Amino acid sequence: MVDEASLPGLNSRAQGWLRYIWDKATTEDDWSSKGEPLPWWDKTTTPPMCSFPRFDLSETSYSLPLMADQTPAWREIYTRIADELVGRYTSFWAAADWLTLIGPDPHRDRYPPDWLVWMPEKLRGKYEPPGWTGNGMEPWGMQPDPIAADGNLFFRGFFNLLLGTYSYVSGDDKWEKPFQVTGYNDRLFQWNQHTITEFIKEQWVERPQGAHCENTKVWPYCLSAAGLGLQLYDKLFQSKTHEVYDEWIEFAKLHFTERNSAGDIKSFAFYYDPIESVAYSPPSGLSGYGMLAPLFYMLPQAPEFGTELYEAGIRDLGWNDRTQSIVQGFNDPRWICIVLMLARELGDVTTERRLKSLGERLWGANFFEDDDRFAWRFGLQEKYPRSQLNGLLILSEIGQPGAWSKVYKGKKSNHFFEPTVVGVDFPNLGINRAVNDPEESKLYVSTYAATKSEAKRKTSWKVSNLKQPESVTVYLDNTIYSDWSIVDGSTIEINTVIGSKNFCISYKPNWADKTESSFSSTDVSQETASFKPESARNRKMYTPAAPPSCSCC
């Protein structure tokens, strides 16, 4: 018997964040070269490295698989949001830096002091900062396709991770099919999820140190994001592309890691420039940031080395020392957001509590617009919340420690074949719990008013992938509930009102040849598994073809 109180679900902050990112994702705007993203897409945070709107696309997406794992029997809203994020990522504004920051920066001798800390002292004044992509710079010259380039790894690496997120929450093959990506002068280049993955892998095989992000910098941060995309791809498609990252970790241990005489890590390269022969680490007193920077992506792939880097970085910054105040070397909340999530993931309770307390004191909980939406304001008097920062900080509010790594490791889920909640009138009605108990043949669903002004209004939602709808019994708060009907041979519809309700759908088939625990994904026929398309139900290991080529490159 399942203890309903122990079942996973979304807390009020996660619910409010979901409502806000739904607004952003589903409100149409123009990301082409003739338009501009709406101002709530964050293109301001962490200059000069991340102050581009595509980082908002990526960091908005990170909560989706975590929320989907909390409500595994309800994923349609996460799918819609992920689809909108991917669609924007194919546009001009997603690759705006690669398409507009051409050649050397003519202003590289006039950078503000807080940018200079990211550059080797000997190169300041004659060296581009992180964030200046430099398409057209030597040794490669101009490359119009933002994916098929020698540099720009961070564009395609984060994109592939986003594509994997879509596949993870949706279970369908929409972005496995060919689509167009906008390049220089609005030229279009055809790719799909499989060819992008194969290009990343093959390029990595040729360059064990990793591909460049900006010309000419190689970033462990971006390489780890690209590697995480490969690891998720392998989980989804039972392939073997991630081996290149495993090999890169060994390279990084040798070439990017500095240890003291006792063998403890002293520093880890923030980035490596093979043209200038520089592996740059932040200066003394800030080196912990270089160790911690890539771990958000590295930890699920290389937990042993990642944990060693985490412990060295936290020790260097002193954030786990109760006798010291938390001192931030940079006036940027991004680092606290990342490290709080890492502390929680690793079970570092001391650091987690210290950083959580700091965040609550400085940033506070902020429900806004009729209290339906949630985001931290970070003490900024701005019209829209900083979504890049919120996309990271909200992760510490979803699931249990280890939830982030679980997304990218282990076997692919069978949730898509189990009874599934569909047709929810979101954003009016929200689902904060949707969990199957296959052994008991029960689906637990909890609802809430995602738009409070719509509370008590009549609504309905469906459950699909049922094996024998006529054998279903619906309970509301442990009492038999009768206001529902059979739609077809695999679906029922439940009538209710918008608000906080706790349902249990008992779907045990009344078949003499079926035992209590025999319901499984393998029993669901293609005809009754109506929630997922044929391609998703019969997906097999994919063997990619060679990446496409174009006349210019």
Side-chain angles (χ1 to χ4, degrees):
M1 180 68 65
V2 169
D3 176 12
E4 292 188 46
S6 69
L7 292 173
L10 302 179
N11 67 21
S12 60
R13 292 184 176 186
Q15 293 167 21
W17 174 245
L18 178 62
R19 181 71 174 85
Y20 180 59
I21 63 175
W22 168 266
D23 293 344
K24 290 178 58 179
T26 60
T27 300
E28 185 176 351
D29 57 353
D30 186 357
W31 283 53
S32 74
S33 61
K34 297 178 176 62
E36 188 171 356
L38 288 172
W40 54 16
W41 293 103
D42 183 357
K43 56 180 179 180
T44 305
T45 298
T46 315
M49 295 168 286
C50 302
S51 50
F52 302 97
R54 79 161 171 278
F55 286 93
D56 193 344
L57 299 179
S58 293
E59 282 152 0
T60 293
S61 75
Y62 297 150
S63 62
L64 297 178
L66 293 183
M67 289 192 285
D69 283 352
Q70 293 300 295
T71 64
W74 183 62
R75 295 192 170 209
E76 58 185 359
I77 300 307
Y78 315 129
T79 297
R80 171 69 188 281
I81 294 172
D83 184 53
E84 297 287 353
L85 299 177
V86 172
R88 286 176 171 87
Y89 211 110
T90 66
S91 70
F92 166 84
W93 273 98
D97 47 347
W98 186 252
L99 306 179
T100 60
L101 304 181
I102 306 301
D105 182 5
H107 305 295
R108 59 185 180 177
D109 59 342
R110 284 170 270 173
Y111 298 142
D114 54 334
W115 287 23
L116 296 178
V117 73
W118 303 116
M119 290 177 272
E121 188 172 356
K122 67 179 182 179
L123 296 175
R124 293 172 187 173
K126 51 185 179 180
Y127 191 65
E128 282 69 31
W132 183 272
T133 49
N135 187 9
M137 288 175 61
E138 296 300 329
W140 301 299
M142 190 69 181
Q143 297 184 318
D145 185 343
I147 292 179
D150 288 278
N152 214 28
L153 177 276
F154 62 159
F155 175 81
R156 58 183 169 272
F158 282 98
F159 188 23
N160 200 45
L161 181 56
L162 177 57
L163 290 168
T165 296
Y166 175 84
S167 296
Y168 184 88
V169 301
S170 72
D172 72 40
D173 64 351
K174 175 177 179 178
W175 296 99
E176 297 173 47
K177 300 171 184 176
F179 55 82
Q180 303 289 336
V181 175
T182 302
Y184 187 66
N185 284 340
D186 283 338
R187 292 184 58 184
L188 297 177
F189 300 88
Q190 182 171 289
W191 292 88
N192 65 56
Q193 183 177 7
H194 302 303
T195 54
I196 291 174
T197 300
E198 187 66 9
F199 183 85
I200 292 172
K201 175 197 166 186
E202 292 303 320
Q203 187 181 59
W204 214 328
V205 168
E206 296 173 358
R207 304 176 185 184
Q209 77 273 22
H212 297 228
C213 289
E214 304 97 345
N215 293 345
T216 55
K217 301 176 184 67
V218 176
W219 283 78
Y221 180 90
C222 304
L223 287 164
S224 294
L228 195 60
L230 297 181
Q231 182 167 272
L232 182 55
Y233 182 89
D234 287 352
K235 176 177 179 175
L236 295 167
F237 299 103
Q238 296 80 57
S239 56
K240 294 183 178 180
T241 65
H242 188 255
E243 294 171 349
V244 292
Y245 186 82
D246 296 332
E247 295 171 0
W248 176 82
I249 282 290
E250 298 307 314
F251 182 95
K253 289 178 183 178
L254 289 174
H255 300 285
F256 297 164
T257 310
E258 183 182 359
R259 297 178 182 270
N260 61 23
S261 58
D264 298 325
I265 296 177
K266 287 179 56 180
S267 67
F268 188 72
F270 208 55
Y271 60 81
Y272 167 62
D273 188 328
I275 308 301
E276 297 288 347
S277 298
V278 171
Y280 176 68
S281 298
S284 177
L286 301 175
S287 59
Y289 288 99
M291 303 177 216
L292 295 167
L295 297 188
F296 183 80
Y297 307 103
M298 181 188 291
L299 193 62
Q301 306 174 77
E304 184 176 341
F305 183 57
T307 300
E308 188 182 10
L309 279 172
Y310 172 82
E311 292 173 348
I314 290 295
R315 185 169 57 248
D316 181 78
L317 298 178
W319 287 359
N320 63 343
D321 188 343
R322 295 188 183 93
T323 66
Q324 297 183 29
S325 298
I326 294 175
V327 178
Q328 301 180 64
F330 301 100
N331 185 26
D332 186 344
R334 178 182 297 271
W335 301 98
I336 297 289
C337 298
I338 291 175
V339 177
L340 173 58
M341 177 269 184
L342 291 170
R344 187 170 185 266
E345 184 78 358
L346 286 167
D348 179 1
V349 177
T350 298
T351 304
E352 179 188 1
R353 287 176 177 171
R354 282 166 56 81
L355 297 183
K356 182 82 169 179
S357 175
L358 178 70
E360 292 297 304
R361 187 172 69 252
L362 296 180
W363 306 326
N366 178 40
F367 288 89
F368 59 101
E369 293 188 29
D370 300 322
D371 289 339
D372 293 334
R373 298 150 181 86
F374 175 82
W376 290 271
R377 292 286 183 170
F378 295 95
L380 300 171
Q381 301 301 314
E382 297 177 343
K383 185 175 182 180
Y384 299 108
R386 291 287 185 94
S387 291
Q388 290 190 42
L389 301 175
N390 275 282
L392 297 169
L393 190 53
I394 195 65
L395 302 182
S396 61
E397 297 284 344
I398 307 172
Q400 300 299 316
W404 175 252
S405 295
K406 183 181 175 183
V407 170
Y408 304 96
K409 299 166 68 174
K411 295 182 179 179
K412 189 168 76 168
S413 172
N414 284 327
H415 295 317
F416 300 112
F417 303 98
E418 296 175 344
T420 303
V421 177
V422 296
V424 175
D425 182 22
F426 192 86
N428 296 320
L429 179 70
I431 305 292
N432 61 312
R433 173 181 292 161
V435 182
N436 276 291
D437 177 7
E439 291 186 2
E440 295 288 333
S441 298
K442 291 180 179 178
L443 168 62
Y444 296 93
V445 181
S446 296
T447 68
Y448 66 97
T451 301
K452 293 178 177 60
S453 62
E454 296 295 312
K456 299 183 179 181
R457 187 174 63 79
K458 290 183 178 180
T459 189
S460 64
W461 45 274
K462 300 180 178 68
V463 178
S464 67
N465 286 354
L466 291 166
K467 200 146 194 189
Q468 197 179 28
E470 60 271 20
S471 69
V472 163
T473 302
V474 179
Y475 298 88
L476 174 60
D477 296 326
N478 299 316
T479 301
I480 291 179
Y481 186 74
S482 59
D483 193 3
W484 63 277
S485 59
I486 296 175
V487 176
D488 56 35
S490 64
T491 308
I492 66 170
E493 183 172 32
I494 296 174
N495 301 308
T496 183
V497 296
I498 295 172
S500 298
K501 307 284 184 181
N502 297 306
F503 292 89
C504 175
I505 295 89
S506 177
Y507 51 83
K508 182 179 178 180
N510 294 322
W511 294 344
D513 61 339
K514 292 289 181 181
T515 64
E516 231 179 76
S517 61
S518 62
F519 187 93
S520 70
S521 62
T522 56
D523 295 324
V524 181
S525 68
Q526 293 180 2
E527 289 74 24
T528 60
S530 58
F531 181 59
K532 301 318 304 169
E534 182 77 13
S535 57
R537 295 195 301 274
N538 296 309
R539 183 179 292 171
K540 299 179 180 178
M541 178 176 175
Y542 182 81
T543 304
S549 59
C550 62
S551 58
C552 61
C553 53

